[in-house]
Amino acid sequence: MKLLFLAPLSPKTGNHTTAERIRSHIELAGHTCELRDAGEFQSPADVADLLSGNPSFQAALAIHLFKAGRLLLDVQVPFGVIFGGTDINEDVKVEQKRVVMEQVLLRARFAVAFTDKLKEEAEIFLVPQSSKIFVQPQGIQTEVTETFCWTEFLRSSGVRSKNVDELRVFLLVCGLRRVKDPLYLVEDFSEWHCENMQNILVIIGPKIDPVFTAEVEAVVKSRGLLGPRDEPTGASCCHEKVLRRGQQLCLRGHVSSHLGGHGSQGTCGGQGYSRKCSCGAA
């Protein structure tokens, strides 16, 4: 079987990583999968024309009901869709998008949600199609790097603990961009860190949005919370120590990872630096 697979493919994002992983599994199962960026197409008619001009396509698949699934509304082949977090957390709030997403869900042969919570919310906000939505958690593949030294990794990030084995390190893999702003964790985690100095938060990921990264660096520095390997500048001890431990990774680090972008077990509404959520969710 040959499938057309549509997904938002911005570099270094969870969508891109997830799409490549799914494509790989489809091909390992003996099928042919052509992965295309949803941004290449302007309308459902463009995708319909592609499929009608290439009858070898027998089915289609899409990540994100609105961003990619809407492009399959005019196709004549069966298709399935995979929910993205933006579908339920953002797009359902916009009436025009929600109507389109309902149409996509009604036409799709099946839909996949990565968590039970995502399925439940989809059934609340969209058409209740319990028999059509399947929950399939994302798998995570890790590989051991023989040259990697955990102690040196932490030290290069600013951690100066004498006994690294006693630390409780929370590692958040997240590209720094406005829609995935991870810094709302800082205030609450700082308080937790002050209660127990062994609790360390490390944020690692690429600088996907250079403009937003520059804004974050400016805000952090203006508040006296961080200077690259600087001594404390009189700022809050809690914030200083937490940020110094994560500063290289949080604002300057890079990572290539097998992780997708849907692993969070908690949700926080709104944007900005005033958001609150349980540190335990990290």
Side-chain angles (χ1 to χ4, degrees), residues 117-137:
K117 182 175 179 60
L118 195 61
K119 175 183 177 180
E120 292 169 3
E121 293 182 344
E123 292 171 345
I124 292 173
F125 295 116
L126 300 171
V127 180
Q129 294 279 317
S130 299
S131 62
K132 184 176 287 189
I133 302 176
F134 300 88
V135 176
Q136 184 171 344

Side-chain angles (χ1 to χ4, degrees), residues 95-216:
E95 178 65 17
Q96 296 90 333
K97 292 183 178 181
R98 186 184 62 79
V99 171
V100 172
M101 292 162 63
E102 288 178 346
Q103 294 174 356
V104 171
L105 190 55
L106 285 171
R107 280 214 54 200
R109 289 287 185 90
F110 65 88
V112 174
F114 292 131
T115 66
D116 290 319
K117 182 175 179 60
L118 195 61
K119 175 183 177 180
E120 292 169 3
E121 293 182 344
E123 292 171 345
I124 292 173
F125 295 116
L126 300 171
V127 180
Q129 294 279 317
S130 299
S131 62
K132 184 176 287 189
I133 302 176
F134 300 88
V135 176
Q136 184 171 344
Q138 288 206 91
I140 297 175
Q141 176 182 343
T142 59
E143 297 177 358
V144 177
T145 302
E146 295 181 358
T147 58
F148 178 79
C149 177
W150 178 242
T151 301
E152 183 56 34
F153 169 78
L154 293 176
R155 286 177 179 171
S156 69
S157 304
V159 177
R160 296 292 181 264
S161 175
K162 293 182 179 180
N163 193 342
V164 173
D165 292 336
E166 294 182 357
L167 294 176
R168 286 193 288 268
V169 181
F170 292 77
L171 182 63
L172 175 62
V173 180
C174 178
L176 191 58
R177 54 191 171 121
R178 199 173 301 277
V179 72
K180 294 288 187 179
D181 172 16
L183 296 184
Y184 66 87
L185 283 169
V186 169
E187 286 192 23
D188 281 357
F189 201 99
S190 295
E191 297 172 5
W192 197 31
H193 173 74
C194 278
E195 294 173 4
N196 188 334
M197 302 290 284
Q198 304 299 330
N199 297 324
I200 303 295
L201 173 65
V202 176
I203 302 173
I204 182 170
K207 297 189 291 185
I208 296 176
D209 184 341
V211 174
F212 178 62
T213 300
E215 291 177 9
V216 171

